[in-house]
Amino acid sequence: MKIDLTDTNSSKINAALIDARRAIGTATVGMVLTLVIVTDEGSAYDALKAASDASREHPSRILAVIKRPGRSPRARAEARLDAEVRVGSDSGTGETVVLRLHGELAAHAQSVVLPLLLPDAPVVVWWPENAPKSPSEDPLGALAQRRITDAVTAENPVTQLAARADSYAPGDTDLAWTRITPWRSMLAAALDQRHVAVESASVEGESYNPSTELLALWLAERLKIKVERTVSEGPGITAVRMHTADGDVCLDRPDGLLAKLSMPGQPDRMVALKRRETSELIAEELRRLDPDLIYASAVRYGVDNLHSQSSTSEVVDPPANKPAAKPAAKKATASSSRTQK
C-alpha cells in the first residue's frame, strides 16, 4: 500500500502510517529498529531495495531522507516536505517512508526524522554515499546508536579510511569492513587449526579497494607482523598469504566466487567466498548494535602507513614505539574478530 503526501509534516505522516497499518491489518510490534537512509535521488532506489531486503531479517521502519535544497535562490528559500508512505508488500516486512526535503528544510532533516522514530527502539543511520566527515557529529548521526558509511563510494576510498579513523566514535562502522568478515573468519579458523607463529603476510587486491587495506591493517594489528599490500586486477580481494616456518597459509580467490585454502601438511580445500550484495552487508551490521571495537582498532592502526594508489605494493609495519590504539582492543585475539556474526 502506498500513500503520497505533498507539502506535509511529521504529524500527518504518522497519521498516514497508522491508517495504512489499519487498512492492511498489521501492527508495529514486530519492528525492532529504525533505519534512516540519507541519500540522493540517484542512489535512493538501490539503497531502498537493499534495506527492504535486509528488513526480512530485521523488520524495521525505514526512513529515506532525500535532500533537495534547490538550485535557484527562490527554490532554496522555500521549505516543503513531500512524503511517500509504503506499508505491506511494498515495504518488505516493515514500513518505509520516503522523505523529500525541499529548500531550507534540507538543512534541518533531524527535526523531520525525530518524530518518526519508533519509540524505545534502536536507531541506525546509513549513508550509502557522501557520508559526512564526522558521522557522530552529524545532526542525524547524533540520533543513532550505529552509523554506517561506505568508503568504497568516496572519490579516494583509501584516503577515506584515514578520515574514518580520525572521526571514529563508538557506534561507527563501514561496509568496507563488513565485506571482509568472511575473510577474517576463514583466516582466524585457519590459524586455530595450526598453532604456528605467523612471521609475515601479504594481502592482494584491487588498488582502489578499502576492504583490502582494512584486511591488511587487521592482520598487522592482530598479529603484530609486517603485512605486504600487493595490487591485483581484482575483483576485490584476491588472495591472502600468511608466511610461517612450516610454509604458507594461503587463501586464494581469483574469481570473486570460490576460494582455495592451502595449509602446510593438509590437502587444499575449496571454500565458498562469494562477494556479497549490499542487502547482506546491511543485514549483518544490523545483527549487532554494540560498538565494534575490532573495527576501531583496525582502522586506527597504522593509518599513517596507508599508501598512495600509484604504488604497486606497500608494507604495513607496526608503528615503532607506539602503543596500540586502545588498551581494550589489545586484549582481543585474532579469533575474536566478530566471527560470531
Side-chain angles (χ1 to χ4, degrees), residues 110-269:
Q110 73 280 5
S111 64
V112 177
V113 168
L114 187 59
L116 300 176
L117 301 178
L118 288 173
D120 302 321
V123 179
V124 179
V125 177
W126 171 33
W127 290 270
E129 294 184 4
N130 302 319
K133 184 177 180 180
S134 179
S136 62
E137 296 178 1
D138 182 83
L140 283 173
L143 300 175
Q145 283 75 42
R146 290 298 300 271
R147 294 165 293 275
I148 304 174
T149 56
D150 195 354
V152 77
T153 62
E155 184 175 352
N156 191 326
V158 178
T159 303
Q160 187 72 9
L161 293 180
R164 296 280 80 87
D166 292 339
S167 65
Y168 176 82
D172 290 356
T173 192
D174 197 281
L175 292 186
W177 173 254
T178 317
R179 290 183 180 95
I180 64 173
T181 299
W183 286 88
R184 293 184 290 118
S185 301
M186 196 67 63
L187 294 172
L191 291 182
D192 285 341
Q193 293 180 42
R194 293 191 63 85
H195 298 283
V196 294
V198 179
E199 300 171 351
S200 63
S202 63
V203 178
E204 179 182 295
E206 291 175 305
S207 59
Y208 285 90
N209 188 295
S211 296
T212 310
E213 308 296 331
L214 281 172
L215 185 56
L217 293 175
W218 174 72
L219 285 171
E221 195 276 334
R222 293 287 95 185
L223 301 175
K224 309 303 180 189
I225 58 173
K226 293 182 178 181
V227 179
E228 181 183 4
R229 166 70 167 94
T230 305
V231 175
S232 71
E233 295 183 358
I237 304 170
T238 53
V240 176
R241 293 176 178 82
M242 297 184 291
H243 310 298
T244 72
D246 297 337
D248 289 353
V249 177
C250 178
L251 187 59
D252 188 11
R253 187 192 66 177
D255 59 0
L257 295 172
L258 199 64
K260 180 173 71 174
L261 177 62
S262 303
M263 300 178 63
Q266 297 186 18
D268 294 345
R269 285 172 287 176

Side-chain angles (χ1 to χ4, degrees), residues 20-177:
R21 287 197 300 268
R22 286 175 177 170
I24 65 175
T26 61
T28 62
V29 292
M31 286 183 277
V32 297
L33 57 89
T34 302
L35 175 61
V36 181
I37 306 173
V38 187
T39 183
D40 54 25
E41 293 286 2
S43 305
Y45 175 82
D46 291 336
L48 283 170
K49 186 178 184 303
S52 179
D53 291 343
S55 73
R56 303 184 189 282
E57 181 177 340
H58 309 279
S60 55
R61 174 176 289 180
I62 301 169
L63 304 177
V65 178
I66 301 175
K67 299 180 181 181
R68 305 182 68 175
R71 297 179 180 178
S72 67
R74 183 175 181 178
R76 289 193 294 268
E78 71 171 342
R80 191 180 86 244
L81 171 63
D82 297 334
E84 180 182 330
V85 176
R86 305 176 186 175
V87 178
S89 59
D90 294 313
S91 184
T93 58
E95 54 193 23
T96 300
V97 181
V98 181
L99 303 167
R100 289 182 171 86
L101 284 61
H102 299 264
E104 292 182 352
L105 190 61
H108 305 280
Q110 73 280 5
S111 64
V112 177
V113 168
L114 187 59
L116 300 176
L117 301 178
L118 288 173
D120 302 321
V123 179
V124 179
V125 177
W126 171 33
W127 290 270
E129 294 184 4
N130 302 319
K133 184 177 180 180
S134 179
S136 62
E137 296 178 1
D138 182 83
L140 283 173
L143 300 175
Q145 283 75 42
R146 290 298 300 271
R147 294 165 293 275
I148 304 174
T149 56
D150 195 354
V152 77
T153 62
E155 184 175 352
N156 191 326
V158 178
T159 303
Q160 187 72 9
L161 293 180
R164 296 280 80 87
D166 292 339
S167 65
Y168 176 82
D172 290 356
T173 192
D174 197 281
L175 292 186
W177 173 254

